[in-house]
Amino acid sequence: MIQAEERTNEIVEDGTVISGFTMEQYLAARDAIKALPESSDKERLLDKLALVEQAMTNMGIEYE
C-alpha cells in the first residue's frame, strides 16, 4: 500500500496532476495499484490514477 501511495503521489498532488510526470512514473503507479488487494484504498488510488489518464488523453498520449 505504501509503495502504491508513494508512486501515485509522485504524479498527483492535492487532486491535481503534476506537470512533467513521465510515462515511467505513471506505469510504476499503475502497476503498484493493480497489485493491491481490493479495498477502499485501492479505489481511492485508482481514482487518482484516472486523473492522470484523463490528462494523458487530453494531451493525446496513449497509455494502454
Side-chain angles (χ1 to χ4, degrees):
M1 172 61 197
I2 293 172
Q3 181 182 18
E5 185 84 43
E6 289 174 350
R7 298 290 175 262
T8 305
N9 287 341
E10 291 176 358
I11 56 177
V12 178
E13 184 175 298
D14 296 327
T16 303
V17 178
I18 297 171
S19 64
F21 71 91
T22 65
M23 182 61 74
E24 183 178 276
Q25 288 173 306
Y26 163 75
L27 293 173
R30 183 195 68 185
D31 293 346
I33 293 168
K34 282 186 175 183
L36 294 173
E38 293 301 319
S39 68
S40 60
D41 286 331
K42 181 175 183 174
E43 290 302 316
R44 180 178 52 79
L45 292 175
L46 284 171
D47 288 345
K48 283 185 171 183
L49 195 64
L51 295 173
V52 178
E53 291 170 350
Q54 183 61 49
M56 288 192 290
T57 298
N58 292 344
M59 292 184 275
I61 298 171
E62 293 185 26
Y63 55 90
E64 291 291 331

